[in-house]
Short mmCIF file of all heavy atoms in Angstrom, two decimals:
data_model
loop_
_atom_site.label_atom_id
_atom_site.label_comp_id
_atom_site.label_asym_id
_atom_site.label_seq_id
_atom_site.Cartn_x
_atom_site.Cartn_y
_atom_site.Cartn_z
N ALA A 153 -95.32 26.64 -87.70
CA ALA A 153 -95.97 26.10 -88.90
C ALA A 153 -95.92 27.09 -90.07
O ALA A 153 -96.09 26.73 -91.22
CB ALA A 153 -97.40 25.73 -88.66
N THR A 154 -95.71 28.37 -89.77
CA THR A 154 -95.80 29.42 -90.83
C THR A 154 -94.60 30.34 -90.70
O THR A 154 -93.94 30.43 -89.62
CB THR A 154 -97.07 30.27 -90.65
OG1 THR A 154 -96.93 31.00 -89.40
CG2 THR A 154 -98.33 29.38 -90.58
N PRO A 155 -94.30 31.06 -91.78
CA PRO A 155 -93.15 31.99 -91.72
C PRO A 155 -93.30 33.00 -90.64
O PRO A 155 -92.32 33.28 -89.85
CB PRO A 155 -93.14 32.67 -93.09
CG PRO A 155 -93.79 31.65 -94.02
CD PRO A 155 -94.84 30.96 -93.17
N GLY A 156 -94.48 33.59 -90.45
CA GLY A 156 -94.65 34.65 -89.48
C GLY A 156 -94.42 34.06 -88.03
O GLY A 156 -93.82 34.72 -87.19
N ASP A 157 -95.02 32.91 -87.83
CA ASP A 157 -94.84 32.27 -86.53
C ASP A 157 -93.39 31.94 -86.23
O ASP A 157 -92.89 32.04 -85.14
CB ASP A 157 -95.70 31.01 -86.44
CG ASP A 157 -97.09 31.30 -85.94
OD1 ASP A 157 -97.46 32.46 -85.84
OD2 ASP A 157 -97.82 30.32 -85.68
N ALA A 158 -92.66 31.48 -87.33
CA ALA A 158 -91.29 31.13 -87.15
C ALA A 158 -90.48 32.32 -86.65
O ALA A 158 -89.66 32.22 -85.72
CB ALA A 158 -90.68 30.59 -88.47
N GLY A 159 -90.78 33.48 -87.22
CA GLY A 159 -90.05 34.69 -86.76
C GLY A 159 -90.42 35.05 -85.33
O GLY A 159 -89.53 35.31 -84.50
N GLY A 160 -91.69 35.18 -85.07
CA GLY A 160 -92.14 35.60 -83.74
C GLY A 160 -91.74 34.62 -82.64
O GLY A 160 -91.44 35.01 -81.52
N LEU A 161 -91.77 33.37 -82.99
CA LEU A 161 -91.41 32.35 -81.96
C LEU A 161 -89.89 32.31 -81.78
O LEU A 161 -89.41 32.10 -80.67
CB LEU A 161 -91.95 31.01 -82.38
CG LEU A 161 -93.51 30.82 -82.21
CD1 LEU A 161 -93.94 29.55 -82.93
CD2 LEU A 161 -93.90 30.74 -80.79
N LEU A 162 -89.10 32.49 -82.85
CA LEU A 162 -87.66 32.49 -82.69
C LEU A 162 -87.25 33.68 -81.87
O LEU A 162 -86.35 33.55 -81.03
CB LEU A 162 -86.98 32.47 -84.05
CG LEU A 162 -85.47 32.45 -84.02
CD1 LEU A 162 -84.90 31.19 -83.31
CD2 LEU A 162 -84.81 32.54 -85.39
N ARG A 163 -87.89 34.79 -82.09
CA ARG A 163 -87.56 35.99 -81.28
C ARG A 163 -87.82 35.71 -79.83
O ARG A 163 -87.04 36.03 -78.98
CB ARG A 163 -88.46 37.13 -81.79
CG ARG A 163 -87.87 38.49 -81.62
CD ARG A 163 -88.68 39.55 -82.37
NE ARG A 163 -88.35 39.61 -83.80
CZ ARG A 163 -89.21 39.31 -84.77
NH1 ARG A 163 -90.43 39.02 -84.52
NH2 ARG A 163 -88.77 39.37 -86.00
N ALA A 164 -88.99 35.10 -79.57
CA ALA A 164 -89.28 34.70 -78.16
C ALA A 164 -88.28 33.74 -77.60
O ALA A 164 -87.86 33.85 -76.42
CB ALA A 164 -90.72 34.14 -78.09
N ALA A 165 -87.86 32.78 -78.37
CA ALA A 165 -86.97 31.71 -77.93
C ALA A 165 -85.63 32.33 -77.60
O ALA A 165 -85.00 32.00 -76.57
CB ALA A 165 -86.85 30.66 -78.98
N ILE A 166 -85.12 33.23 -78.43
CA ILE A 166 -83.84 33.87 -78.19
C ILE A 166 -83.86 34.69 -76.94
O ILE A 166 -82.91 34.73 -76.12
CB ILE A 166 -83.41 34.73 -79.42
CG1 ILE A 166 -83.05 33.83 -80.59
CG2 ILE A 166 -82.24 35.63 -79.06
CD1 ILE A 166 -82.83 34.56 -81.89
N ARG A 167 -84.95 35.34 -76.71
CA ARG A 167 -85.09 36.22 -75.52
C ARG A 167 -85.50 35.51 -74.27
O ARG A 167 -85.45 36.02 -73.19
CB ARG A 167 -86.07 37.35 -75.82
CG ARG A 167 -85.64 38.28 -76.98
CD ARG A 167 -86.65 39.31 -77.28
NE ARG A 167 -86.34 40.00 -78.56
CZ ARG A 167 -86.97 41.04 -79.00
NH1 ARG A 167 -87.98 41.57 -78.32
NH2 ARG A 167 -86.64 41.56 -80.14
N ASP A 168 -85.85 34.25 -74.43
CA ASP A 168 -86.28 33.46 -73.28
C ASP A 168 -85.03 33.14 -72.39
O ASP A 168 -83.95 32.90 -72.86
CB ASP A 168 -86.89 32.09 -73.76
CG ASP A 168 -87.76 31.49 -72.67
OD1 ASP A 168 -87.18 30.90 -71.72
OD2 ASP A 168 -88.99 31.53 -72.82
N ASP A 169 -85.19 33.18 -71.09
CA ASP A 169 -84.08 32.93 -70.17
C ASP A 169 -83.85 31.45 -69.95
O ASP A 169 -82.99 31.07 -69.19
CB ASP A 169 -84.32 33.67 -68.86
CG ASP A 169 -84.15 35.16 -68.96
OD1 ASP A 169 -83.40 35.57 -69.89
OD2 ASP A 169 -84.82 35.89 -68.19
N ASP A 170 -84.63 30.57 -70.55
CA ASP A 170 -84.47 29.12 -70.41
C ASP A 170 -84.22 28.46 -71.72
O ASP A 170 -84.43 29.09 -72.78
CB ASP A 170 -85.81 28.55 -69.76
CG ASP A 170 -85.94 28.92 -68.32
OD1 ASP A 170 -84.93 28.85 -67.59
OD2 ASP A 170 -86.98 29.36 -67.90
N PRO A 171 -83.66 27.24 -71.69
CA PRO A 171 -83.40 26.57 -72.92
C PRO A 171 -84.70 26.23 -73.80
O PRO A 171 -85.70 25.80 -73.18
CB PRO A 171 -82.68 25.32 -72.51
CG PRO A 171 -83.04 25.06 -71.10
CD PRO A 171 -83.32 26.44 -70.52
N VAL A 172 -84.57 26.41 -75.04
CA VAL A 172 -85.71 26.16 -75.94
C VAL A 172 -85.17 25.24 -77.12
O VAL A 172 -84.18 25.55 -77.73
CB VAL A 172 -86.23 27.44 -76.54
CG1 VAL A 172 -87.39 27.13 -77.54
CG2 VAL A 172 -86.77 28.39 -75.45
N VAL A 173 -85.92 24.20 -77.33
CA VAL A 173 -85.61 23.30 -78.49
C VAL A 173 -86.53 23.83 -79.60
O VAL A 173 -87.80 23.83 -79.48
CB VAL A 173 -85.87 21.84 -78.17
CG1 VAL A 173 -85.74 21.01 -79.44
CG2 VAL A 173 -84.98 21.35 -77.07
#
Side-chain angles (χ1 to χ4, degrees):
Chain A
T154 66
D157 273 9
L161 288 165
L162 181 61
R163 209 170 279 117
I166 290 171
R167 297 179 192 185
D168 199 287
D169 288 332
D170 288 315
V172 178
V173 175

